[in-house]
Amino acid sequence: MADSSNRVFLISIIFVGLVALAIFMQPTLQEQWAPEPEVAWVAIECGDDGVAEVGHVEPVLGEEECRLHAVLEARDRDDEPVYYTQAKRLSLNGEEVDSDRLRPWRSGRWVKIRWFTLEGNRPYVRLSAETGIQGFSMEEFLRSDWPLAWSIPAEIDAANDNHLTHDSKLDRQLFGTQRFHVRVEIYRLEDDLIPMRVVRSWGIKDLKEHIDAFPTLRVVLPGRLAPVSRVFGLTQLEPPPEPERQLLEQIEELSRQGIAFSAQSLLRDQIQYAERTLDDLRWQTVDLSGATARGDSAERVAEDGPPAPQAGDLVRVGDRVVILYDDQGLPGLLDYDDWCFDFVQGIAVRSLREVFSGEGATVEWASLAPRSQLNAPSSQRSPIDNSSSSQTG
């Protein structure tokens, strides 16, 4: 009887010891058996379909809520990809990943997710003939005020102007372009100050090679305001007087890639979006005292009748050209309190009064409405930038 009791006791001791050893060895075994992390991604989820996209996403302001998801790609013991993320669905390289390859992070290691945005070093850069395009550079801005989490609300408010005084009518950036970078920091213990490993997503050095697939969120205004709203958050480049052709071509390339822009490239894009050309714009004198009706309301613009000034149209005094934005003054009338997009010393939303404050200046308006609505007098050549019409036409 005693021998039986001793045997049970010994077996119990051995069992408890094995359990304790298994618990003690569990983190080590988990680490050895866990898939090996290789690269991180930023996926953007907008709308209700639940698909987080690694690439370009362009929602219209106010129509969809967007979130950013960090994704950690690893390889399991069968050399198959595994994606650690909180996203329910994931699209990578244009194809949706099998759901059984997605899983939340459950390793014994602690992680911190640090978010960055890729932006121009400054919101406005006046280039010089000596340094040329080298006066512009991109930076990875750490967003220290964003949560250290796998999934966060998407923000497009640029960081490169946080140290500057804002002169825009908008309190914060509501629309524009933002590119994202993420670093997944893996720690051995929760209180460790230095991570044992950092896994990065595409950064500045990868931007040019992967420009078409780089995680980019563009929140745009509807209709004809899409081109101008898209450039907010990008650096505006101002070429020097009489720039060399090579510099203009470099600015043009950055504009096509959606990395930076110039006032000339933006005005060209605004005109081309309306399927118009610089040469067929018809400039008419308008009164900003409230005598000119706006055409923002569909009821006031007949399909076969002459248009009235509306959002997306061009207004100028001399060679200073702005794009009409919002009816903030007398309702239904074009006046000095209405808002516009201005490009002097950097793009900003300003009132027409702030832009055209001089006495006796002739204010002209050019409609970018469909051609069928244009019944105005014969066209005049626009002096938006006569010296570089090849870039804006």
Side-chain angles (χ1 to χ4, degrees), residues 360-381:
T362 300
V363 181
E364 296 178 292
W365 153 68
S367 174
L368 294 183
R371 293 175 183 272
S372 61
Q373 296 181 14
L374 298 179
N375 296 320
S378 60
S379 63
Q380 306 174 29
R381 181 173 179 80

Side-chain angles (χ1 to χ4, degrees), residues 5-137:
S5 298
N6 290 338
R7 188 179 300 110
V8 171
F9 178 75
L10 180 60
I11 293 174
S12 300
I13 292 296
I14 294 174
F15 177 76
V16 171
L18 291 174
V19 171
L21 180 62
I23 294 174
F24 178 78
M25 294 294 294
Q26 184 180 13
T28 302
L29 294 175
Q30 281 184 339
E31 184 176 351
Q32 290 179 349
W33 294 341
E36 182 66 21
E38 291 187 336
V39 66
W41 303 97
V42 176
I44 307 170
E45 177 187 352
C46 295
D48 299 326
D49 60 4
V51 178
E53 178 79 28
V54 178
H56 290 203
V57 180
E58 187 169 304
V60 175
L61 178 65
E63 291 189 359
E64 297 177 334
E65 295 292 331
C66 298
R67 295 190 65 83
L68 302 179
H69 294 278
V71 180
L72 184 60
E73 180 179 346
R75 290 279 167 175
D76 62 18
R77 302 184 71 181
D78 297 325
D79 199 33
E80 293 293 330
V82 174
Y83 301 92
Y84 294 105
T85 181
Q86 290 186 357
K88 303 302 181 184
R89 300 170 64 187
L90 176 67
S91 177
L92 182 63
N93 298 323
E95 296 183 2
E96 187 166 349
V97 176
D98 290 340
S99 59
D100 59 357
R101 289 289 164 187
L102 306 181
R103 61 195 63 175
W105 179 262
R106 290 176 179 171
S107 171
R109 302 305 181 192
W110 295 88
V111 297
K112 292 180 181 179
I113 312 297
R114 301 202 185 272
W115 294 94
F116 296 75
T117 52
L118 269 64
E119 306 173 22
N121 55 337
R122 288 172 287 163
Y124 176 78
V125 176
R126 185 183 295 274
L127 302 175
S128 67
E130 292 75 20
T131 60
I133 204 64
Q134 300 303 318
F136 166 72
S137 63

Side-chain angles (χ1 to χ4, degrees), residues 279-332:
D279 291 328
D280 67 11
L281 295 183
R282 302 177 180 180
W283 292 94
Q284 305 172 59
T285 301
V286 291
D287 187 352
L288 294 183
S289 65
T292 302
R294 290 179 64 106
D296 294 325
S297 173
E299 290 77 9
R300 293 197 296 268
V301 183
E303 291 185 359
D304 57 351
Q310 55 187 302
D313 288 349
L314 307 182
V315 176
R316 74 179 182 186
V317 170
D319 59 358
R320 186 167 182 176
V321 182
V322 301
I323 299 174
L324 280 181
Y325 176 25
D326 200 19
D327 185 4
Q328 288 286 321
L330 298 171

